[in-house]
Amino acid sequence: MFLSIFEIFKVGVGPSSSHTMGPMSAAARFLEALRDGSRKWPGAGAPARVRCTLHGSLAWTGKGHATDRAVVLGLGGCTPDTLDPAETDRIENKISETRQITPVGLPALAFDPAQDIVFDFDTNLPGHANGMALEAYDANGTLHFREVYYSIGGGFVLTEEELEAMKSGKAPLAPGNDNKPEPPYPFGSAQEMLKMGRDSGKTIAEMKLANELTCKPAEEIEKQIWRIWSVMNACIERGLDTTGILPGGLKVKRRAAAIYTKLQEERGLNTSMPHVANDWLSVYAMAVNEENAAGGQVVTAPTNGAAGVIPATIKYYRDHCPGSTDDGIRTFLLTAAAVGGLIKHNASISGAEVGCQGEVGSAAAMAAAGLCAALGGTNEQIENAAEIALEHHLGMTCDPAKGLVQVPCIERNGLGAIKAVSAASLALHGDGSHFMPLDNCIEAMRQTGEEMNDKYKETSLGGLAVNLPEC
């Protein structure tokens, strides 16, 4: 099994990787399929109108996650990695006013967002909780082409056919990987990862880098790794410098900037509490997730809803840990990606599929492993750190108030970062031997998510989402 670091960490936009980035990418892929034309239904004329139906969690929390807006922008030619935030309002307004899209290489297509984006709350598609169908019709109303897409978490989007192939083991975790060379260390479990490390004498980060080198030259890998951290760090800085009220109607106030100012004022004072390190971790994570909630540029880590945990832990490492280095950041990200790939391969990183244990829980496990590696931990200690962090997120539900990635998501990232640092520290104080293997913990998360009631899996139908203050 090989899932690239650049598939785990993707530059995109908020507020959600599965509900915003995924549907935007699906809409863009649909236009590509229309342009190709090879799968047109027999007897249908040229495409004249498009329609989108959202199912499952995409329907239930689509408004709060800006899923409808993402579909409009995707059909308007935008992709998450190239989106210009300054242009989004113009694109969206033009489509709403003209009630049509004008894709490159296709005729103008009728599309009225108010009528042609349907939220189907009654029908769940069989492949995944995040399902959507895109359809094109000819001028007579005959179906020209239809494709079902599943947004499976972390910005990954698969067609119905691709999802079935992946589940059967006939296709890779991400489209486009099937023609890549076989990596030298194709570990599909933590046990295999540790064995390959012992046999080769390499660290997890070294094995991960060797795998990446089968796809890209070293210079390109280095450049892209530093872009990931640059975008993460810039997101922290914006969040620490921005105040105001977050969009969506909950009237949640941005707090990171005020907390950061207070922490700076207290820095160096003898009266500072020893647990102030937790406050720094929290404010870094909250800064990212406030930016995410506002629709800003973030990096999936491994999702948008959990985007603050890893950047906060790296920032803590670089700015607060004696002896930290830039090489440590590279080691951190490579190691974290290796653990994230294992979780995605053997369980899920989708809140709509397994609850928030798959998002913040996975992020905490990845961050714990990355920090442990950056601080010089052995492969066994790294695996232990990831297991500790994941174990203590098991059963965590995804129940965002009003379908917005704000309450409890913003604070939850801060606590996830704190748990990650604690897990890494505990593992470094041991020799790597421990009772519960990471593989078993990942399987426990999968089973727990499978049996979790759907109202606790990113539908906003239970938990905190329905226990709101009286106004």
Side-chain angles (χ1 to χ4, degrees), residues 50-255:
V50 296
R51 185 172 186 264
C52 174
T53 305
L54 303 172
H55 298 269
S57 180
L58 292 184
W60 286 109
T61 61
K63 287 289 185 182
H65 288 68
T67 304
D68 47 351
R69 188 168 192 252
V71 171
V72 173
L73 292 172
L75 292 175
C78 300
T79 57
D81 57 330
T82 61
L83 182 67
D84 181 357
E87 286 291 296
T88 55
D89 287 345
R90 183 192 64 78
I91 295 169
E92 187 179 18
N93 291 339
K94 181 181 178 182
I95 292 173
S96 295
E97 290 168 4
T98 63
R99 298 180 185 178
Q100 70 173 18
I101 56 174
T102 54
V104 175
L106 289 167
L109 302 171
F111 175 68
D112 180 359
Q115 301 295 324
D116 292 321
I117 297 180
V118 179
F119 291 80
D120 186 341
F121 301 103
D122 300 319
T123 309
N124 289 333
L125 298 182
H128 191 278
N130 292 332
M132 59 189 290
L134 282 153
E135 299 165 329
Y137 297 86
D138 68 14
N140 296 319
T142 302
L143 185 64
H144 173 93
F145 174 62
R146 181 179 190 268
E147 187 71 90
V148 171
Y149 296 92
Y150 291 103
S151 182
I152 62 173
F156 290 89
V157 174
L158 298 174
T159 65
E160 198 165 32
E161 184 179 356
E162 289 167 347
L163 183 65
E164 286 302 314
M166 188 190 78
K167 287 182 175 180
S168 66
K170 297 177 182 177
L173 289 176
N177 278 354
D178 42 349
N179 295 322
K180 293 179 181 177
E182 181 70 15
Y185 304 102
F187 47 81
S189 68
Q191 183 179 10
E192 290 178 354
M193 180 177 72
L194 292 176
K195 183 179 187 305
M196 289 180 187
R198 286 192 295 269
D199 292 346
S200 66
K202 292 183 179 294
T203 66
I204 293 170
E206 288 169 342
M207 290 189 291
K208 183 65 177 167
L209 180 58
N211 289 344
E212 298 292 337
L213 286 168
T214 63
C215 304
K216 288 183 173 71
E219 297 80 7
E220 184 65 22
I221 293 170
E222 183 79 2
K223 179 180 177 181
Q224 290 192 35
I225 285 177
W226 286 111
R227 186 187 179 222
I228 288 169
W229 170 237
S230 175
V231 174
M232 285 180 171
N233 193 46
C235 187
I236 293 174
E237 296 300 327
R238 287 196 310 274
L240 294 177
D241 193 45
T242 308
T243 59
I245 304 297
L246 293 171
L250 288 180
K251 298 181 180 179
V252 172
K253 183 180 179 181
R254 284 181 180 252
R255 292 180 290 157

Side-chain angles (χ1 to χ4, degrees), residues 33-49:
L34 274 184
R35 276 188 285 267
D36 176 76
S38 62
R39 296 174 63 192
K40 178 179 80 71
W41 281 49
R49 180 171 71 90

